[in-house]
Amino acid sequence: MDFGLVLQTDPPASEVVGLMRRAERNGFRYGWTFDSAVLWQEPFVIYSRILEHTQRMIVGPMVTNPGTRTWEVTASTFATLNDMYGNRTVCGIGRGDSAMRVAGRRPNTLARLGEAIGVIRDLAEGREALVDGSPVRIPWVKGGRLPVWMAAYGPKALALAGQQADGFILQLADPYLTEWMVRAVRTAAEEAGRDPDALTMCVAAPAYVGEDLAHAREQCRWFGGMVGNHVADLVSRYGEHSDLVPDALTTYIKQRQGYDYSHHGRAGNPSTDFVPDEIVDRFCLLGPPEAHIEKLAALRALGVDQFAVYAMHDARESTIDAYGERVIPAFTG
């Protein structure tokens, strides 16, 4: 099992770079960031510094979307980083939540997302692709490699991930829901004639190492609110109870009253009071290292290839170090 670290690109950027360096020293192989141009600093600029100051770390957004940048710009940016640092990027992509809504736009359609996955990957790897109906190729790309992993929750999005993406990103760590969604992605891949074992399965969620569970829950409750934005979209599409979406995912948002993106992804987010303790415990990894190891072993048994730690809380350094000392060695030998 691989491990990643997920950060917001709050200033100063040097702190983000420093935490990624710390993560690499502790055995993390992936460095992820949010990508929301209004709320945080531009991640692709910071990726260049992370790549310069690490040796092996692979970097990318969790997640970008097809609407805030033109596709040839996204592809060229990844290809430039790969040319400079040796194919050490991965493109996490989704419909767009904060990046689109804060700018007054609706999330992208799945049709647009599916088209973008192929175009961005082809252009970043040096192949010709159609951009708005015109053939485009980036002529200087030589030997480029860009895996594209798609974030998804709903049935149509899970199917698209299995049909077109190189990997699947699930932003929650509940074993029941993980099993349900990984199975859906693998089934879609098989039905599309693809090898499901070739897809990387990545679970991303907050991890907080410590003995005070009540405090850890309060530090990570924001995550239930972030996931709730996507769940609310599913409920509006499929209803509160549907055979297509598990109740274990949807029922907890009944008391949701809206969402203020100015607190997005931050501990103490006042828009997440509706999130119960039970959801925090299910969606996140909390407690001493042994509790993390136990839950991660269950996720690995379900086919999860990478766990990415959201570290938006007051114990970032100690959690990174605890993973390096106790958790990661349990899965890497």
Side-chain angles (χ1 to χ4, degrees):
M1 178 181 274
D2 282 332
F3 289 83
L5 179 68
V6 190
L7 298 173
Q8 294 169 336
T9 51
D10 289 312
S14 58
E15 185 171 342
V16 177
V17 175
L19 287 168
M20 291 299 185
R21 295 181 67 188
R22 188 183 196 121
E24 184 180 61
R25 291 195 300 269
N26 277 285
F28 289 78
R29 290 193 61 233
Y30 284 75
W32 302 93
T33 73
F34 282 38
D35 178 17
S36 191
V38 175
L39 296 177
W40 300 289
Q41 292 185 330
E42 172 55 38
F44 286 92
V45 176
I46 299 172
Y47 295 155
S48 187
R49 296 291 289 174
I50 295 170
L51 290 166
E52 181 181 2
H53 289 284
T54 57
Q55 301 300 314
R56 298 168 301 279
M57 181 169 275
I58 297 167
V59 303
M62 189 173 283
V63 295
T64 193
N65 72 85
T68 52
R69 297 177 181 85
T70 60
W71 302 349
E72 70 275 16
V73 169
T74 299
S76 181
T77 304
F78 276 113
T80 301
L81 292 172
N82 284 336
D83 185 66
M84 293 172 68
Y85 299 104
N87 287 341
R88 290 168 55 199
T89 66
V90 57
C91 177
I93 195 167
R95 293 178 59 224
D97 178 35
S98 63
M100 297 296 288
R101 299 186 204 266
V102 169
R105 305 186 185 103
R106 294 170 60 88
N108 296 270
T109 65
L110 286 177
R112 180 172 173 81
L113 175 57
E115 183 182 359
I117 287 172
V119 169
I120 291 170
R121 180 170 52 212
D122 283 345
L123 291 177
E125 295 185 348
R127 294 183 294 275
E128 183 178 285
L130 290 177
V131 179
D132 295 329
S134 298
V136 174
R137 187 177 71 85
I138 303 176
W140 51 263
V141 175
K142 307 296 181 185
R145 167 83 176 130
L146 183 65
V148 181
W149 299 2
M150 180 181 155
Y153 292 106
K156 293 181 180 179
L158 294 169
L160 180 62
Q163 293 159 1
Q164 297 194 32
D166 301 302
F168 165 50
I169 297 172
L170 174 59
Q171 291 165 311
L172 55 81
D174 174 72
Y176 171 78
L177 292 172
T178 298
E179 181 178 21
W180 191 89
M181 294 185 185
V182 166
R183 183 171 62 246
V185 172
R186 290 179 61 87
T187 297
E190 290 177 348
E191 292 176 348
R194 306 179 73 202
D195 177 6
D197 292 333
L199 274 69
T200 302
M201 304 295 175
C202 174
V203 161
Y208 193 110
V209 178
E211 299 289 344
D212 187 342
L213 287 179
H215 179 75
R217 288 187 186 109
E218 291 311 312
Q219 287 290 304
C220 298
R221 197 175 303 276
W222 62 266
F223 185 67
M226 187 185 83
V227 175
N229 297 328
H230 304 282
V231 174
D233 287 344
L234 295 176
V235 170
S236 67
R237 180 182 297 269
Y238 298 105
E240 290 187 9
H241 302 285
S242 169
D243 293 338
L244 298 175
V245 183
D247 285 352
L249 177 63
T250 59
T251 55
Y252 85 96
I253 69 162
K254 287 183 179 179
Q255 304 304 316
R256 182 177 182 269
Q257 299 296 319
Y259 192 83
D260 181 355
Y261 279 92
S262 66
H263 305 285
H264 188 59
R266 301 190 185 278
N269 185 336
S271 299
T272 61
D273 291 345
F274 70 94
V275 180
D277 288 351
E278 180 255 344
I279 287 293
V280 182
D281 292 346
R282 280 174 43 204
F283 285 11
C284 305
L285 278 75
L286 313 174
E290 294 77 14
H292 293 245
I293 292 170
E294 180 180 2
K295 192 166 188 177
L296 287 168
L299 292 171
R300 182 175 64 175
L302 297 173
V304 174
D305 301 299
Q306 180 184 150
F307 177 63
V309 174
Y310 277 103
M312 276 68 79
H313 51 59
D314 64 2
R316 296 186 300 182
E317 291 86 352
S318 61
T319 292
I320 291 169
D321 292 346
Y323 263 66
E325 294 167 6
R326 299 284 302 279
V327 179
I328 294 176
F331 295 91
T332 63

